[in-house]
Amino acid sequence: MRDLDVLILGGGAAGLMCAIEAGKRGRKVLVIDHAKRPADKIRISGGGRCNFTNLHCSPANFLSQNPRFCVSALKRYTQQDFLKLVESHRISWHEKTLGQLFCDESAKDIIQMLLAELEAAGGTLQLETEVMAVSKPDDRFSVATSKGPLRAKSLVVATGGPSIPKMGATGFAYELAKQFDLSLVTPRAALVPLTFSDANKELCSSLSGISVDAKVSFQKTTFREGLLFTHRGLSGPSILQISSYWQEGKPISVNLVPEADVFETLRSARQETPKQDLKTALGQLLPNRLVEALSQAFKLKGRLADQSDKVLRRAAEQLNRWQLTPVGTEGYRTAEVTLGGVDTRELSSKTLETSKVPGLYFIGEAVDVTGHLGGFNFQWAWSSGHAAGQVV
């Protein structure tokens, strides 16, 4: 039986960061993971370039039933701290839109950096290791694995949520939380495409592949980024962002022409070019294929001269404030993250340790802290892993 100071379940972003910090403190650390390779979510993120953090990261970029919970960890290990680490390994990077930072070369550079840091800190990573059972018979945790029994003073759960199951993601963290009588905030897929039925599904399907800049709103929350029509509904950054806020059975509002007041634009066009077709005027604002489909769906036709203010207002309403009610999401299969998880009321915001079970920690995506799209979830992994790594 191997005896450890710290056993970390999960060799992803949060788990590796925690192991590095604990190792630097002279702790005897082992990270185990059931996968063949470490950090597969890092590997595939950002189209293989890894959107590893965001320059504008702040607590306002996170959803949680306790919005203040993330403040402590984010303040003590910031995006600038992680950027210094990246630069110390001479990994070249670039900023895309909205403060998103990506590797110039490959996401594998971030994985290699973490593994090099882990080795330097004296930590060990053991892959292809299944956890069979976890218990705490005394002041130490006993963990039965497919490669033999382990004992540890501190047990850190960094196994993430069930999003992207094809990468081996599971709800293991939630099962363990329940075993130790910890409460959960009901998990659901987040940063995920929205699906529709009937006419809206047909319309989206017919426009599949078309992308536009759009403002998408749900109640008081609005995001302005790209929107993509798909065979099943809507995707693109603006839709993924709003999916974390959307509530079942309620509509979202889509502004397909955020740059313009469509009513004023059409009214001016009616004065200047009254013989122009309404569809032609709309073609100045949106891609022709989209105009064609929306004109049919919203019954927009005829010359501008023949359109009353009422008709132009109706057209503007449908383009500036298109109301759509999704039937659901594409689910965990394509979700980038999981909303909900281990209830933050069970954890210390400073250390991520559970109050009911001394020595048990939950970090990263397993916790009810979910970032916006754009590198925020990785920053939570680094910050929460760092916070736990200081004390385990």
Side-chain angles (χ1 to χ4, degrees):
M1 168 139 0
R2 284 179 70 182
D3 228 332
L4 306 156
D5 294 321
V6 186
L7 175 59
I8 298 172
L9 311 181
L16 291 174
M17 178 57 94
C18 181
I20 291 162
E21 292 304 313
K24 284 179 186 172
R25 293 173 44 244
R27 314 297 278 157
K28 189 177 177 187
V29 184
L30 174 66
V31 182
I32 62 173
D33 198 295
H34 64 184
K36 288 183 179 177
R37 300 183 300 187
D40 265 340
K41 274 197 179 177
I42 294 179
R43 200 181 305 275
I44 65 159
S45 70
R49 295 268 178 94
C50 186
N51 179 191
F52 56 82
T53 193
N54 193 296
L55 289 177
H56 310 309
C57 188
S58 81
N61 300 111
F62 295 85
L63 290 84
S64 172
Q65 287 204 346
N66 176 3
R68 303 292 301 162
F69 182 83
C70 63
V71 173
S72 176
L74 290 173
K75 195 181 280 184
R76 285 178 296 128
Y77 191 82
T78 69
Q79 56 270 39
Q80 295 301 334
D81 292 321
F82 190 75
L83 191 53
K84 276 182 204 152
L85 179 61
V86 168
E87 290 180 333
S88 75
H89 283 257
R90 294 188 169 80
I91 297 171
S92 55
W93 56 273
H94 59 278
E95 180 186 350
K96 276 197 180 177
T97 55
L98 307 170
Q100 300 168 19
L101 302 191
F102 290 78
C103 298
D104 282 353
E105 299 296 325
S106 167
K108 290 176 186 171
D109 293 342
I110 298 292
I111 299 172
Q112 289 309 318
M113 173 191 83
L114 294 169
L115 295 179
E117 286 283 325
L118 179 65
E119 189 179 351
T124 309
L125 171 66
Q126 185 176 296
L127 298 168
E128 297 183 88
T129 304
E130 299 284 343
V131 174
M132 326 298 276
V134 178
S135 61
K136 195 183 185 195
D138 44 43
D139 67 337
R140 300 177 84 75
F141 291 88
S142 289
V143 180
T145 80
S146 56
K147 292 190 175 173
L150 301 165
R151 272 171 66 77
K153 183 92 174 126
S154 297
L155 181 67
V156 183
V157 185
T159 54
S163 56
I164 323 183
K166 70 178 180 191
M167 307 220 58
T170 69
F172 174 83
Y174 310 148
E175 290 161 30
L176 200 59
K178 283 179 194 165
Q179 180 190 322
F180 285 102
D181 200 28
L182 304 174
S183 57
L184 297 173
V185 173
T186 306
R188 69 178 175 90
L191 298 182
V192 63
L194 297 174
T195 57
F196 297 85
S197 63
D198 307 331
N200 282 332
K201 183 183 178 182
E202 278 179 40
L203 176 61
C204 291
S205 186
S206 71
L207 294 166
S208 184
I210 289 182
S211 178
V212 292
D213 176 37
K215 253 189 196 174
V216 181
S217 306
F218 179 75
Q219 294 174 351
K220 292 178 180 175
T221 304
T222 299
F223 291 96
R224 180 175 175 177
E225 289 183 69
L227 175 147
L228 175 69
F229 289 89
T230 74
H231 286 297
R232 287 179 291 276
L234 295 173
S235 187
S238 61
I239 292 291
L240 298 187
Q241 296 278 39
I242 214 69
S243 73
S244 297
Y245 292 83
W246 173 69
Q247 295 165 16
E248 216 165 311
K250 295 184 179 175
I252 60 168
S253 177
V254 177
N255 183 351
L256 292 166
V257 194
E259 288 293 337
D261 179 324
V262 173
F263 173 65
E264 293 300 339
T265 304
L266 292 177
R267 200 160 66 155
S268 298
R270 186 178 60 188
Q271 281 183 315
E272 290 161 24
T273 53
K275 291 182 181 177
Q276 189 180 42
D277 199 76
L278 176 56
K279 280 200 290 192
T280 308
L282 292 173
Q284 310 295 313
L285 302 170
L286 290 164
N288 288 332
R289 198 172 129 213
L290 182 53
V291 169
E292 195 64 47
L294 293 177
S295 297
Q296 269 191 319
F298 301 151
K299 299 181 171 55
L300 307 174
K301 57 185 179 181
R303 296 184 315 162
L304 284 171
D306 302 329
Q307 313 297 326
S308 65
D309 274 9
K310 186 179 176 184
V311 170
L312 295 187
R313 273 189 205 283
R314 184 169 63 84
E317 191 69 20
Q318 284 159 327
L319 296 178
N320 281 144
R321 283 170 292 278
W322 185 20
Q323 302 294 305
L324 298 122
T325 302
V327 292
T329 74
E330 287 194 8
Y332 290 125
R333 186 179 62 82
T334 57
E336 297 211 5
V337 290
T338 306
L339 199 69
V342 177
D343 195 327
T344 56
R345 287 176 300 183
E346 302 282 11
L347 307 170
S348 157
S349 61
K350 189 174 182 192
T351 65
L352 286 295
E353 184 178 20
T354 63
S355 51
K356 283 179 188 163
V357 189
L360 178 62
Y361 300 75
F362 286 83
I363 60 174
E365 194 186 338
V367 177
D368 174 35
V369 174
T370 306
H372 289 166
L373 188 72
F376 300 102
N377 287 293
F378 274 127
Q379 186 57 45
W380 172 244
W382 315 134
S383 297
S384 62
H386 182 274
Q390 302 307 302
V391 292
V392 288

